[in-house]
Amino acid sequence: VQLQASGGGLVQAGGSLRLSCAASGRTASSYAIHWFRQAPGKEREFVAQISWRGSSTLYADSVKGRFTISRDNAKNTVFLQMNSLKPEDTGVYYCAADPWSNRPLARGMRYWGTETQVTVSS
């Protein structure tokens, strides 16, 4: 499975961005897709997860009500809509593929994608 993240950028606090994760490979659509982020000097942390059918989602408490994850399996793409962005959302964002987990951990992810930088200015 190959994953390519895109859509990052510089935005002011309160603004919005939409990240995309394009997946390829025979079994790409059979995995849950996760978003993680890593701020400078901090560990990589879980942000959101969506099941392979798109029927189940899971969010970190810090982004609930502000971020929405969705997927379009016809296009093999997962989206992360980020609204009401805060400076603490700044970091490098990664998408990853792995079977569904109720407690996703970075070290357990089977496949990692490329990174996209998100910077939120105050």
Short mmCIF file of all heavy atoms in Angstrom, two decimals, residues 8-12 17 85-87 89-91 93 117-121:
data_model
loop_
_atom_site.label_atom_id
_atom_site.label_comp_id
_atom_site.label_asym_id
_atom_site.label_seq_id
_atom_site.Cartn_x
_atom_site.Cartn_y
_atom_site.Cartn_z
N GLY A 8 -1.57 20.44 2.91
CA GLY A 8 -1.12 21.29 4.00
C GLY A 8 -0.82 22.69 3.53
O GLY A 8 -0.84 23.00 2.34
N GLY A 9 -0.55 23.57 4.49
CA GLY A 9 -0.23 24.94 4.15
C GLY A 9 -0.20 25.81 5.38
O GLY A 9 -0.24 25.33 6.51
N LEU A 10 -0.15 27.11 5.15
CA LEU A 10 -0.13 28.11 6.21
C LEU A 10 -1.50 28.77 6.27
O LEU A 10 -2.02 29.23 5.26
CB LEU A 10 0.94 29.15 5.92
CG LEU A 10 1.00 30.37 6.84
CD1 LEU A 10 1.32 29.95 8.27
CD2 LEU A 10 2.02 31.38 6.33
N VAL A 11 -2.09 28.82 7.45
CA VAL A 11 -3.41 29.40 7.62
C VAL A 11 -3.46 30.13 8.95
O VAL A 11 -2.74 29.77 9.90
CB VAL A 11 -4.50 28.29 7.54
CG1 VAL A 11 -4.35 27.30 8.68
CG2 VAL A 11 -5.89 28.87 7.48
N GLN A 12 -4.30 31.13 9.04
CA GLN A 12 -4.47 31.85 10.30
C GLN A 12 -5.37 31.07 11.23
O GLN A 12 -6.22 30.27 10.79
CB GLN A 12 -5.05 33.23 10.04
CG GLN A 12 -4.09 34.20 9.38
CD GLN A 12 -4.64 35.61 9.32
OE1 GLN A 12 -5.86 35.80 9.27
NE2 GLN A 12 -3.77 36.59 9.34
N LEU A 17 -8.43 24.01 6.50
CA LEU A 17 -7.64 23.32 5.49
C LEU A 17 -8.26 21.95 5.27
O LEU A 17 -8.88 21.39 6.19
CB LEU A 17 -6.19 23.13 5.95
CG LEU A 17 -5.22 24.31 5.87
CD1 LEU A 17 -3.89 23.93 6.52
CD2 LEU A 17 -5.00 24.76 4.43
N LEU A 85 -9.12 26.04 13.04
CA LEU A 85 -7.74 25.64 13.35
C LEU A 85 -7.15 26.53 14.43
O LEU A 85 -7.43 27.73 14.51
CB LEU A 85 -6.89 25.67 12.09
CG LEU A 85 -7.11 24.46 11.17
CD1 LEU A 85 -6.59 24.75 9.77
CD2 LEU A 85 -6.42 23.23 11.75
N LYS A 86 -6.31 25.90 15.25
CA LYS A 86 -5.63 26.57 16.35
C LYS A 86 -4.12 26.46 16.15
O LYS A 86 -3.65 25.52 15.50
CB LYS A 86 -6.01 25.92 17.68
CG LYS A 86 -7.50 25.85 17.94
CD LYS A 86 -7.78 25.08 19.22
CE LYS A 86 -9.27 24.98 19.51
NZ LYS A 86 -9.55 24.22 20.75
N PRO A 87 -3.36 27.35 16.73
CA PRO A 87 -1.90 27.25 16.62
C PRO A 87 -1.37 25.88 17.09
O PRO A 87 -0.39 25.38 16.51
CB PRO A 87 -1.40 28.38 17.51
CG PRO A 87 -2.48 29.40 17.44
CD PRO A 87 -3.76 28.60 17.40
N ASP A 89 -2.54 23.12 16.48
CA ASP A 89 -2.72 22.12 15.43
C ASP A 89 -1.52 22.09 14.48
O ASP A 89 -1.45 21.23 13.59
CB ASP A 89 -3.98 22.41 14.61
CG ASP A 89 -5.26 22.27 15.41
OD1 ASP A 89 -5.36 21.28 16.18
OD2 ASP A 89 -6.14 23.13 15.28
N THR A 90 -0.59 23.00 14.66
CA THR A 90 0.59 23.05 13.82
C THR A 90 1.42 21.78 13.94
O THR A 90 1.62 21.28 15.05
CB THR A 90 1.45 24.27 14.18
OG1 THR A 90 0.71 25.46 13.85
CG2 THR A 90 2.77 24.27 13.43
N GLY A 91 1.88 21.28 12.81
CA GLY A 91 2.73 20.10 12.83
C GLY A 91 2.81 19.47 11.46
O GLY A 91 2.20 19.94 10.50
N TYR A 93 1.74 16.43 9.30
CA TYR A 93 0.64 15.47 9.28
C TYR A 93 0.97 14.30 8.36
O TYR A 93 1.50 14.49 7.26
CB TYR A 93 -0.65 16.15 8.82
CG TYR A 93 -1.30 16.99 9.90
CD1 TYR A 93 -0.68 18.15 10.36
CD2 TYR A 93 -2.51 16.62 10.47
CE1 TYR A 93 -1.26 18.92 11.36
CE2 TYR A 93 -3.10 17.38 11.47
CZ TYR A 93 -2.47 18.53 11.91
OH TYR A 93 -3.05 19.28 12.90
N GLN A 117 2.89 19.53 5.69
CA GLN A 117 3.07 20.47 6.80
C GLN A 117 1.83 21.36 6.95
O GLN A 117 1.34 21.92 5.97
CB GLN A 117 4.29 21.36 6.54
CG GLN A 117 4.50 22.46 7.56
CD GLN A 117 4.98 21.94 8.90
OE1 GLN A 117 5.86 21.07 8.96
NE2 GLN A 117 4.41 22.46 9.98
N VAL A 118 1.38 21.47 8.19
CA VAL A 118 0.29 22.38 8.52
C VAL A 118 0.83 23.39 9.53
O VAL A 118 1.36 23.02 10.56
CB VAL A 118 -0.91 21.62 9.13
CG1 VAL A 118 -1.95 22.60 9.66
CG2 VAL A 118 -1.53 20.70 8.09
N THR A 119 0.69 24.67 9.21
CA THR A 119 1.14 25.73 10.10
C THR A 119 -0.02 26.68 10.33
O THR A 119 -0.58 27.22 9.38
CB THR A 119 2.33 26.48 9.52
OG1 THR A 119 3.39 25.56 9.24
CG2 THR A 119 2.83 27.54 10.50
N VAL A 120 -0.37 26.86 11.61
CA VAL A 120 -1.46 27.76 11.98
C VAL A 120 -0.88 28.92 12.75
O VAL A 120 -0.30 28.74 13.82
CB VAL A 120 -2.53 27.03 12.82
CG1 VAL A 120 -3.70 27.96 13.10
CG2 VAL A 120 -3.00 25.77 12.12
N SER A 121 -1.04 30.10 12.21
CA SER A 121 -0.49 31.29 12.86
C SER A 121 -1.53 31.93 13.77
O SER A 121 -2.73 31.89 13.49
CB SER A 121 -0.02 32.29 11.81
OG SER A 121 -1.12 32.72 11.03
#
